[in-house]
Amino acid sequence: MSIFVNQDELFKITIYYKEFFNDDGDLLYTDVSSEKIEDWQELNAYFCQPSVGVFSYILEEATVLNGLNQKPVIRTRALRDLTLTHLMKKWDAKIKINDVEIDAPINEEMISKLDIKVANELFVKYIMNVKLDVLLQAVIKNESENDNILRGI
């Protein structure tokens, strides 16, 4: 075991989702589960461990100063999106371009197009798997109750 992060060593996170449509075939919403449910689709994502350099960058980019009290506040959307963009190395998501299905790239544009519940489930499962929930709680410990936007983790 090394104390240095190898970004090529990946672990898998699996989530399950199902799209729900109205009678006209229009998508109404997508539901997500961490547990396998019959007839739901599976999404596998492969992540690397967070290194000091990468996670420090993510935290710095996700942190802003509160304009009222000048205390740092973590923007959860930015934290989630940057974590997925920088620490998720591959996945089995597909997109259609001109009726041709291809592998969806992992980039800012694709992450921003993810269903909110899918993105949140991947993020929370990642944070819990690598035990960053404890670190994030320590980072926000000094925020007031009104500013604590990560209290649900």
Side-chain angles (χ1 to χ4, degrees):
M1 179 175 164
S2 176
I3 60 170
F4 301 102
V5 172
N6 178 347
Q7 298 230 338
D8 294 328
E9 290 181 11
L10 307 178
F11 63 92
K12 180 169 78 168
I13 289 177
T14 301
I15 65 169
Y16 303 90
Y17 66 96
K18 183 170 182 165
E19 297 171 326
F20 291 88
F21 300 87
N22 65 15
D23 292 339
D24 295 328
D26 301 320
L27 178 64
L28 295 174
Y29 67 95
T30 302
D31 205 356
V32 179
S33 174
S34 59
E35 302 297 323
K36 187 172 186 170
I37 300 175
E38 189 175 332
D39 296 329
W40 285 39
Q41 297 195 35
E42 181 177 279
L43 176 64
N44 296 301
Y46 299 84
F47 290 83
C48 67
Q49 292 291 322
S51 67
V52 168
V54 172
F55 203 69
S56 294
Y57 168 80
I58 290 169
L59 276 178
E60 288 170 10
E61 289 296 310
T63 303
V64 295
L65 290 179
N66 180 320
L68 297 175
N69 61 17
Q70 297 302 303
K71 289 185 179 181
V73 176
I74 296 176
R75 298 177 301 141
T76 53
R77 181 200 60 80
L79 179 64
R80 180 199 61 221
D81 293 357
L82 288 165
T83 298
L84 295 178
T85 302
H86 291 281
L87 297 170
M88 184 170 61
K89 299 302 182 180
K90 65 181 186 173
W91 59 354
D92 56 14
K94 306 284 185 196
I95 58 171
K96 277 191 179 181
I97 298 178
N98 299 326
D99 291 329
V100 176
E101 192 172 76
I102 63 169
D103 293 336
I106 298 172
N107 58 35
E108 188 177 328
E109 179 184 1
M110 281 295 111
I111 297 302
S112 72
K113 291 180 180 180
L114 271 175
D115 179 89
I116 186 83
K117 290 181 236 117
V118 170
N120 287 344
E121 187 71 19
L122 285 170
F123 172 71
V124 168
K125 281 190 86 167
Y126 177 77
I127 293 300
M128 301 303 272
N129 272 295
V130 296
K131 306 295 185 207
L132 283 176
D133 54 322
V134 175
L135 173 67
L136 290 174
Q137 289 296 336
V139 167
I140 61 173
K141 184 178 180 182
N142 293 327
E143 293 182 17
S144 72
E145 185 62 26
N146 291 336
D147 292 338
N148 188 345
I149 58 177
L150 287 175
R151 62 183 165 269
I153 288 184

